[in-house]
Amino acid sequence: MSIKDNLLSIKSTLPEHVTLVAVSKTKPIEALMEAYEAGQRIFGENKIQEMVQKHEIMPKDINWHMIGHVQKNKVKYMASFVSLIHGVDNLRLLEEINKQAKKHNRIIDCLLQIKIASEDSKFGMNLDDAQNLLQSELFSEFKNIQIKGVMGMATFTENQSQIKKEFQLLKQTFDTLIQLESFNFKPEIISMGMSGDYNLAIACGSTMIRVGSSIFGERNYSN
Ligand SMILES: *Cc1c(COP(=O)(O)O)cnc(C)c1O
C-alpha cells in the first residue's frame, strides 16, 4: 500500500470529530509530500530542528504540530509558525512559549501533557500539577498562549486493558480540568492514540490521534 492509500483508508474510518495528525518524524520530504498531495495538512514532528527544516521546504498551508518533549531554549526556533505544541508539562516552559509567541505577535496553542503510562520514561504532569498550573497567578498573565486540552501516551505494551485504563485516565483528567476553563484555557482537544491503539483511543474519547508508521511505514532510526 502507498502512503496515499494508507492515509485515505485510515481517514475513511475516522469519526468526524477526530483530527488526524500525520506523524512524519524521520521521514523524507518526498514521503510527506505524498501525504500532502493526498490532502493531509497536519503533520507532527518530535524534533524542533527537523520540523523547522521541513517547514522551510514544504508548502505554507501546512499546520505543524510539535509532539515531542520540548526544551525551553529551543522554543524560539518554532515560535513563528508552530500551530500546536502537544508536550507542555511545566509552567516555566509555558512562560517561554508565551514570551516567544508575544515576540511574533501571535497566540500559540498548546496541550498539557499528562502522565498516564506506568513507565518512568514518559514525561507529563498528574492532575494536581495541571490544576495548580492552570490556577497559578503566572498562568493568568499569559496572553499569548491558549491551552486547548491534554495529550497523553499510553504504556508501550500489548496489554489492551492497561492501555484502555490509561486512556480513560486521560479522559477523566480532561473532564475534571474543564471546570477551570478561562480566557487562555479552552479545553476541546484530547490528543491520544497512535498507530497501534488509535481505535481504542477514539472509543475512550480521543479527539486527536497521532499516527506515524501506519501511514508512512516503519521508521528506520539507523539511517
Ligand atoms: C512517534 C510518535 C507517534 C506516532 O507513533 P506511531 O506508532 O508510528 O503511530 C505518536 N505520538 C508521539 C508523541 C510520537 O512520538
Side-chain angles (χ1 to χ4, degrees):
M1 292 245 288
S2 66
I3 290 170
K4 179 181 178 182
D5 291 340
N6 292 337
L7 185 68
L8 296 183
S9 86
I10 292 170
K11 282 180 84 162
S12 70
T13 69
L14 297 183
E16 236 175 275
H17 68 278
V18 176
T19 301
L20 173 64
V21 179
V23 175
S24 49
K25 61 191 185 194
T26 79
K27 296 296 175 181
I29 296 291
E30 303 79 67
L32 278 71
M33 279 309 297
E34 194 177 333
Y36 179 88
E37 273 151 20
Q40 184 64 21
R41 291 293 180 275
I42 305 177
F43 291 86
E45 291 283 335
N46 71 339
K47 294 209 166 61
I48 294 179
Q49 199 56 42
E50 186 175 341
M51 185 173 77
V52 167
Q53 284 169 1
K54 287 172 172 171
H55 165 257
E56 279 168 10
I57 298 171
M58 294 197 53
K60 293 298 170 276
D61 61 343
I62 290 173
N63 290 323
W64 293 97
H65 287 200
M66 174 42 59
I67 63 170
H69 186 67
V70 177
Q71 285 171 279
K72 235 174 65 175
N73 60 346
K74 291 189 179 163
V75 171
K76 56 179 178 283
Y77 302 117
M78 63 176 169
S80 66
F81 70 90
V82 67
S83 92
L84 182 64
I85 302 176
H86 290 235
V88 175
D89 64 356
N90 68 80
L91 190 60
R92 293 299 157 191
L93 173 58
L94 209 48
E95 185 177 29
E96 175 65 14
I97 297 169
N98 184 67
K99 181 177 141 191
Q100 295 298 334
K102 195 170 174 182
K103 274 191 192 164
H104 292 280
N105 197 22
R106 60 188 294 251
I107 291 173
I108 296 181
D109 290 344
C110 300
L111 303 177
L112 296 181
Q113 182 165 357
I114 306 296
K115 183 174 158 58
I116 55 174
S118 55
E119 295 158 318
D120 278 342
S121 60
K122 304 265 156 86
F123 295 98
M125 302 183 284
N126 61 28
L127 175 61
D128 260 10
D129 301 330
Q131 285 172 323
N132 288 337
L133 183 154
L134 292 168
Q135 295 180 98
S136 69
E137 197 168 319
L138 191 55
F139 178 71
S140 70
E141 293 164 8
F142 296 160
K143 300 195 170 57
N144 292 79
I145 55 103
Q146 280 264 302
I147 303 286
K148 297 290 225 178
V150 295
M151 177 269 211
M153 283 177 86
T155 303
F156 188 71
T157 173
E158 294 292 311
N159 184 338
Q160 295 297 302
S161 77
Q162 181 178 356
I163 297 175
K164 187 175 177 188
K165 272 190 198 130
E166 294 175 359
F167 285 155
Q168 287 171 335
L169 174 62
L170 188 61
K171 171 72 162 95
Q172 278 167 23
T173 304
F174 177 85
D175 289 343
T176 306
L177 292 175
I178 277 179
Q179 297 158 19
L180 300 175
E181 178 165 352
S182 66
F183 83 93
N184 58 358
F185 176 47
K186 296 272 182 251
E188 52 194 57
I189 298 171
I190 302 176
S191 167
M192 62 182 183
M194 321 197 326
S195 290
D197 55 23
Y198 69 84
N199 282 317
L200 181 56
I202 292 168
C204 294
S206 173
T207 69
M208 184 172 277
I209 59 173
R210 310 176 306 267
V211 178
S213 42
S214 290
I215 298 172
F216 296 106
E218 294 300 323
R219 284 176 296 276
N220 183 352
Y221 286 102
S222 62
N223 292 335

